[in-house]
Amino acid sequence: MFGIPGKQAVTMTPKAAAQIAKLMQKGGHSGLRIGVKKGGCAGMEYTMEYVEAAEPNDEVVEQDGARILIAPMAQMFLFGTEIDYEVSLLEAGFKFKNPNVVDACGCGESIKFDADFDKPSPAAG
């Protein structure tokens, strides 16, 4: 929907692709849907959920056995995002490197986009 021909909406690092493929296989799921919703101290949060089938207008990204689906309403917020999977002494989880984010909370759990990012541009006249 918001794609550029020949460029995927989001990319995955090899670690992220391996972890997503592992989760899909373990649970028998056909993909992982990512999106954004209102919430958190910065205003928006990423969402992730297992899915069994793509919706008609989902953007589908496949890499190394991993499959990510992006709902139409989230595509403009996630375009250009790199998804990584990081493991540290205290935690392990997915990290989103999103060029569309203008601010994030200190813990990195919630994000903020430009106030005009999701508004249509004025018509040329």
Side-chain angles (χ1 to χ4, degrees):
M1 186 172 213
F2 289 95
I4 296 173
K7 182 172 171 66
Q8 292 185 335
V10 299
T11 58
M12 295 174 261
T13 65
K15 286 181 184 179
Q19 183 65 19
I20 292 168
K22 179 179 167 183
L23 292 171
M24 287 171 49
Q25 185 178 33
K26 181 179 178 181
H29 305 288
S30 67
L32 186 67
R33 178 172 285 119
I34 60 172
V36 293
K37 69 175 185 174
K38 291 185 185 241
C41 53
M44 300 285 278
E45 297 176 315
Y46 293 111
T47 62
M48 300 179 87
E49 64 181 341
Y50 296 115
V51 293
E52 302 313 318
E55 296 293 323
N57 293 316
D58 280 350
E59 179 76 22
V60 179
V61 176
E62 294 179 304
Q63 177 183 321
D64 301 327
R67 183 182 220 204
I68 289 180
L69 301 103
I70 309 167
M73 294 302 290
Q75 291 173 15
M76 69 179 177
F77 295 107
L78 296 173
F79 190 79
T81 298
E82 178 188 66
I83 302 170
D84 193 11
Y85 186 76
E86 297 178 358
V87 178
S88 71
L89 290 174
L90 298 176
E91 66 181 358
F94 292 100
K95 302 293 181 186
F96 292 77
K97 296 173 185 165
N98 187 335
N100 305 306
V101 171
V102 296
D103 197 11
C105 67
C107 66
E109 294 294 320
S110 67
I111 50 177
K112 181 179 179 182
F113 298 99
D114 186 334
D116 294 326
F117 185 73
D118 60 348
K119 295 178 185 171
S121 36

